[in-house]
Amino acid sequence: MSIASYSDLVTAVTEWLARDQDTTLIARIPDFITLCEAKLNRELRHRLMEKRATALVNMANTEPQFISLPLDFQSMRRLRCTSVSGSPTINFFSNVQADEYRTRIGDVAGQPRHFTIIGTELELIPTPDTAYTLEMVYRANLSGLTSTNTTNWLMSFAPDVYLYGTLMEATPYIQKDDRIAIWGAGFTQALSSLNTLATEQSFGSGPLVMRST
């Protein structure tokens, strides 16, 4: 059978586990899929995890320097101020660097030059002096599979990663099983080859060459 959707994955995992009569195990499969996705969000590195989003500085807010991050945000790839000529890059500051900047410069409003991440918010530094439009390119968590969200890019691109990863997350439940080593090797190989392919697609398959400027 092909594995192209959430229900296909549940069916495939049920068949591969070969425990059709274990209703408790079958009921746990959605949990195994969720655990697999949590691991993939930490270990998978692929260009299709990157998204673009537009953020607006709202000067009507009492703290316009804070902007809520997308719900699926994981890490920032790039941030630019697109409402300014040349769309200058806004560079990352650690929280320590941000505090040092405020101590040194003070809270003088101006065009944002830096940003830091605090919880689920983006903080611009210095505090914006007017409304700005920002473009962020960020690494996003997977859109988790459910009975209503039946597929995503990874399911379409690499169903083997989902299958072996979900089977591996079932191993603490099934405990001793000779197939565990096979599933683990399958998951490791599938994930490694997917990460390698993503690197080649982003940078090319040839060696990196340093050039003087």
Side-chain angles (χ1 to χ4, degrees), residues 3-6 9 33 36-49 139-145 149-166 187 190-195 197-198:
I3 304 176
S5 68
Y6 175 78
L9 179 60
I33 294 173
C36 170
E37 291 171 334
K39 180 177 291 184
L40 289 171
N41 281 327
R42 294 191 299 269
E43 299 182 7
L44 181 60
R45 297 290 181 270
H46 198 281
R47 60 182 175 80
L48 292 180
M49 297 181 80
R139 173 181 159 84
N141 286 319
L142 291 168
S143 175
L145 297 178
N149 185 49
T150 60
T151 191
N152 58 25
W153 71 264
L154 183 59
M155 174 58 72
S156 301
F157 197 74
D160 55 333
V161 172
Y162 255 119
L163 175 62
Y164 285 122
T166 303
F187 177 70
L191 180 61
S192 177
S193 62
L194 186 58
N195 282 335
L197 177 61

Side-chain angles (χ1 to χ4, degrees), residues 26-70:
I26 294 173
R28 295 282 185 184
I29 291 177
D31 296 337
F32 302 150
I33 294 173
T34 298
L35 292 171
C36 170
E37 291 171 334
K39 180 177 291 184
L40 289 171
N41 281 327
R42 294 191 299 269
E43 299 182 7
L44 181 60
R45 297 290 181 270
H46 198 281
R47 60 182 175 80
L48 292 180
M49 297 181 80
E50 294 183 354
K51 289 185 177 181
R52 282 195 309 162
T54 298
L56 303 175
V57 173
N58 185 355
M59 297 303 293
N61 290 341
T62 55
E63 296 180 307
Q65 71 270 34
F66 291 101
I67 298 174
S68 295
L69 292 165

Side-chain angles (χ1 to χ4, degrees), residues 58-114:
N58 185 355
M59 297 303 293
N61 290 341
T62 55
E63 296 180 307
Q65 71 270 34
F66 291 101
I67 298 174
S68 295
L69 292 165
L71 294 178
D72 59 355
F73 178 88
Q74 189 179 106
S75 60
M76 190 70 76
R77 177 81 165 75
R78 185 184 69 218
L79 183 65
R80 288 180 174 171
C81 188
T82 55
S83 57
V84 174
S85 177
S87 299
T89 298
I90 301 176
N91 298 309
F92 175 74
F93 260 0
S94 68
N95 288 336
V96 172
Q97 289 174 310
D99 289 340
E100 290 175 346
Y101 178 92
R102 295 188 198 94
T103 299
R104 187 175 68 253
I105 305 299
D107 191 19
V108 179
Q111 179 184 324
R113 304 289 184 180
H114 307 279

